[in-house]
Amino acid sequence: MTSSTVPAPAKVGAQKAEAFPELTPAQLQRLEPHGHRRKLAEGEVVGEPGQPVAKIFVVLSGQLDAFAHTTVQLSTNPAINFTAGMFTGERSILSGGRFLGRIAATVPSEVLEIERDELLNVMATDTQLSDIFLRAFILRRLELIDREQGDVVILGSNHCSGLLHIIEFLTRNGHPYKMVDLDTDTASQELLDRFHLTAADVPVVICRGSVVLKNPTVEKLADCLGLNPTLNRTQIWDVVIIGAGPAGLGAAVYAASEGLKVVVVEANAPGGQAGTSSRIENYLGFPSGIAGQELAARAFDQALKFGARVLIAKHAVRINCDQKPYRVFLGDGEDDVLITRAIVVATGVAYRKLELSNLTRFENAGVYYAATQMERRMCSDEEVAIVGGANSAGQAAVFLAETAKRVHMVIRSGGLSSTMSRYLISRIDAHPRIVQHARTEIVGLEGNGHLERISWREGRNGPVATQNIRHVFTMTGAEPATKWLAGCLALDDKGFIKTGPGLNADDLAAAQWPLRRQPYLLETSLPGVLAVGDVRSGSTKRVASAVGEGSIAVATVHQVLAE
């Protein structure tokens, strides 16, 4: 029987068994050397919301119950019962995150307590147990997201520009949350009163049921949720990877799987620009396509499985260029630093912004830089505009056209043939709800709080027309994230990082290249510092190419470390 013919209840039952499996006596015996037995009294708590997840508990006898959050307090009814042979834990154990709920012994119990490092050791050496644990952890996190059970409640309104940024951050980082819409939820006033909040404070994030954040930055949100592991700042890492797009994640997976001590620094969420793509259809091995966020999540979990450490919502602001081991400074403080023997820069690029004076008023309130399920729901049955003519714009157009009333593609050039893959052009040409506007650019934005109208001009000196369009997706151009590296690494005239053969004699002389050998293929003007993916000068701007460069870079890192 194929999976497509399995009745829905059987599918649900099978997935439940994979999410909460019962280990066999033989599997428990293999786990025994990796932990120690511990007896728990009735009611004894082994995990509280907000505490670091540093271990899992395998039930040998008795029962543990997990209690999830309901709005802003823990439920009195257990979300799941862990009986003999079952184990606690979800994706947080891989990333070094925190408990999302409470875990306690229902009756006197005996458990096998396994520390995180030992668990990763098991997953690295025992293929069968690795598959069981990894699938269970991922499915449990997906179930928490689906049920909106976690340690985050968002109070907001679709009219609030800051709301989308918060939801996007949590969604792309795979963190469960519950959304309370202040416009429609009748009980929302009670929540506002309980925490002494007013409408001026929204969007508000309540984490762990007690900490109130008013319109927080993603950095504050990540700190509150404990998304980042605590690292020993005196440790010397083999390699620090800056950026967790396809290139950075590719490097992280290969470096960690080959035994290197790896830490990844990501300013927002794994996946980079590719993580915001609705569907990537030309990536090898996925004939039906794969959502960028799903591809990023798989790569992220893969890197964690091999032991890479990942810091989320952390910005690399400078590198000391004149001293080894290198120091990567994060944020403003001199103490927030990572010491490393090699660096891989994979910071990618950002879409170029519209050159309009009032643009910032409408960002996340009608002007967007990603087309995901969230944005598509907001503009269902409405007319939207997409600025750009490359693959990302084409994928967004096809994706949004499934639910939008009409999709207007605003293209500065004469057409799509020179910038977009043929399969996408064919789809766009054939779609009845996609309209192409060649040699056109947006010249005006209007609205009160949210975008209401746009103006565009056809041709260099053509007439300006006003359109009642409330949603604009801008996906044009590419600006490398390298301003923080100016004066440290050799850049080309567009700001991309020069590497290998792209570095001429003048570049190496200005950088005072200290070695007798020439820079390796992906090496920058600073020995042991590599650049991969879209941020590298001359790179092919494709997901597969970025992943390939990330993997190739690891071979070079080994050469650098051996010198």
Side-chain angles (χ1 to χ4, degrees):
M1 181 181 287
T2 64
S3 60
S4 60
T5 60
V6 176
K11 285 184 178 180
V12 172
Q15 191 172 52
K16 190 78 172 178
E18 288 184 303
F20 299 97
E22 186 175 310
L23 299 175
T24 66
Q27 291 165 345
L28 290 171
Q29 188 175 14
R30 298 208 300 273
L31 278 177
E32 186 89 35
H34 297 279
H36 69 273
R37 291 181 174 241
R38 174 177 167 185
K39 292 188 180 296
L40 302 175
E42 180 179 344
E44 186 171 347
V45 175
V46 295
E48 286 279 18
Q51 288 182 344
V53 183
K55 59 192 71 173
I56 66 167
F57 301 91
V58 183
V59 181
L60 302 176
S61 65
Q63 179 175 310
L64 302 185
D65 285 349
F67 300 86
H69 272 273
T70 58
T71 311
V72 293
Q73 62 186 14
L74 284 169
S75 171
T76 56
N77 298 315
I80 186 68
N81 313 116
F82 296 99
T83 54
M86 299 176 72
F87 54 88
T88 66
E90 51 90 43
R91 194 184 185 195
S92 294
I93 186 68
L94 299 177
S95 61
R98 299 184 185 180
F99 284 102
L100 300 178
R102 173 181 292 162
I103 299 178
T106 315
V107 296
S109 306
E110 185 176 18
V111 299
L112 183 66
E113 186 177 279
I114 302 177
E115 300 284 341
R116 177 185 181 275
D117 288 346
E118 274 302 310
L119 175 66
L120 292 179
N121 185 35
V122 170
M123 295 176 70
T125 56
D126 192 313
T127 303
Q128 184 190 45
L129 287 174
S130 176
D131 290 345
I132 291 172
F133 281 126
L134 188 60
R135 182 148 183 81
F137 294 154
I138 292 173
L139 288 174
R140 290 174 187 181
R141 174 56 68 92
L142 291 176
E143 187 168 325
L144 287 171
I145 292 172
D146 187 54
R147 292 183 176 184
E148 298 183 347
Q149 291 179 330
D151 54 353
V152 175
V153 175
I154 305 173
L155 309 180
S157 163
N158 286 330
H159 302 294
C160 176
S161 62
L163 177 65
L164 182 65
H165 191 48
I166 291 170
I167 291 179
E168 180 188 26
F169 176 77
L170 292 171
T171 301
R172 291 188 60 194
N173 280 287
H175 197 93
Y177 66 89
K178 180 175 179 61
M179 170 70 191
V180 177
D181 190 335
L182 298 178
D183 294 330
T184 59
D185 193 287
T186 55
S188 60
Q189 189 60 48
E190 179 186 343
L191 281 173
L192 290 173
D193 293 341
R194 185 188 306 184
F195 292 99
H196 308 291
L197 299 168
T198 68
D201 296 322
V202 297
V204 172
V205 177
I206 303 171
C207 65
R208 305 200 303 277
S210 58
V211 180
V212 178
L213 303 175
K214 301 175 183 179
N215 195 14
T217 62
V218 294
E219 292 84 359
K220 288 184 178 179
L221 187 53
D223 289 341
C224 184
L225 299 178
L227 295 185
N228 294 321
T230 301
L231 303 180
N232 179 2
R233 297 300 181 167
T234 64
Q235 177 177 342
I236 299 178
W237 299 88
D238 290 324
V239 58
V240 168
I241 299 168
I242 305 172
L249 288 174
V253 168
Y254 279 90
S257 67
E258 293 172 13
L260 297 180
K261 295 177 181 177
V262 184
V263 61
V264 183
V265 181
E266 168 54 42
N268 189 19
Q273 275 192 345
T276 67
S277 177
S278 54
R279 184 159 295 273
I280 302 169
E281 296 192 60
N282 57 356
Y283 190 68
L284 185 68
F286 293 92
S288 299
I290 183 170
Q293 186 176 329
E294 183 182 353
L295 183 64
R298 290 186 182 194
F300 180 66
D301 290 334
Q302 200 173 8
L304 295 176
K305 167 190 169 181
F306 288 121
R309 311 309 297 269
V310 183
L311 299 178
I312 297 294
K314 291 288 187 180
H315 295 262
V317 295
R318 68 183 173 92
I319 299 170
N320 67 319
C321 305
D322 54 358
Q323 181 183 352
K324 294 190 73 172
Y326 294 119
R327 283 168 167 76
V328 179
F329 293 88
L330 310 177
D332 298 325
E334 291 294 311
D335 295 332
D336 201 2
V337 63
L338 296 170
I339 308 172
T340 181
R341 300 165 65 196
I343 297 171
V344 174
V345 180
T347 47
V349 297
Y351 289 124
R352 201 167 285 130
K353 296 191 175 186
L354 299 172
E355 294 182 359
L356 300 172
S357 59
N358 61 347
L359 173 66
T360 56
R361 284 177 49 198
F362 300 110
E363 288 182 313
N364 291 324
V367 176
Y368 317 105
Y369 300 95
T372 68
Q373 290 287 357
M374 288 182 298
E375 288 85 5
R376 186 165 76 168
R377 281 194 294 269
M378 288 190 302
C379 57
S380 179
D381 296 322
E382 296 193 47
E383 296 200 18
V384 305
I386 297 175
V387 182
N391 276 9
S392 55
Q395 290 160 352
V398 173
F399 177 67
L400 293 171
E402 293 177 14
T403 58
K405 181 179 179 180
R406 186 173 284 106
V407 175
H408 300 272
M409 294 196 70
V410 181
I411 310 158
R412 293 189 66 176
S413 66
L416 301 174
S417 59
S418 63
T419 55
M420 188 178 292
S421 296
R422 185 68 243 173
Y423 81 94
L424 276 173
I425 296 175
S426 298
R427 238 176 248 183
I428 289 167
D429 288 341
H431 204 294
R433 289 195 295 276
I434 300 178
V435 183
Q436 300 174 47
H437 302 269
R439 296 186 176 88
T440 302
E441 61 180 319
I442 293 178
V443 295
L445 305 173
E446 300 176 43
N448 183 16
H450 191 283
L451 183 65
E452 297 171 10
R453 291 173 299 281
I454 69 172
S455 299
W456 66 44
R457 180 172 54 222
E458 296 186 20
R460 184 181 297 273
N461 300 307
V464 174
T466 300
Q467 311 288 335
N468 292 322
I469 291 176
R470 301 176 62 250
H471 306 280
V472 172
F473 296 81
T474 175
M475 299 175 173
T476 180
E479 294 185 347
T482 56
K483 290 181 180 178
W484 63 286
L485 291 169
C488 186
L489 303 182
L491 308 177
D492 68 15
D493 56 358
K494 293 183 179 179
F496 292 89
I497 302 173
K498 290 186 174 184
T499 60
L503 291 162
N504 57 41
D506 290 339
D507 293 326
L508 297 180
Q512 298 181 333
W513 179 261
L515 305 179
R516 296 182 65 181
R517 66 165 177 82
Q518 293 295 297
Y520 294 121
L521 178 65
L522 300 175
E523 196 171 22
T524 70
S525 57
L526 200 59
V529 178
L530 287 72
V532 296
D534 288 358
V535 77
R536 189 177 69 83
S537 179
S539 67
T540 301
K541 306 300 187 276
R542 289 288 186 270
V543 174
S545 178
V547 173
E549 288 193 10
S551 62
I552 293 171
V554 176
T556 304
V557 168
H558 283 295
Q559 290 177 289
V560 168
L561 297 182
E563 290 179 344

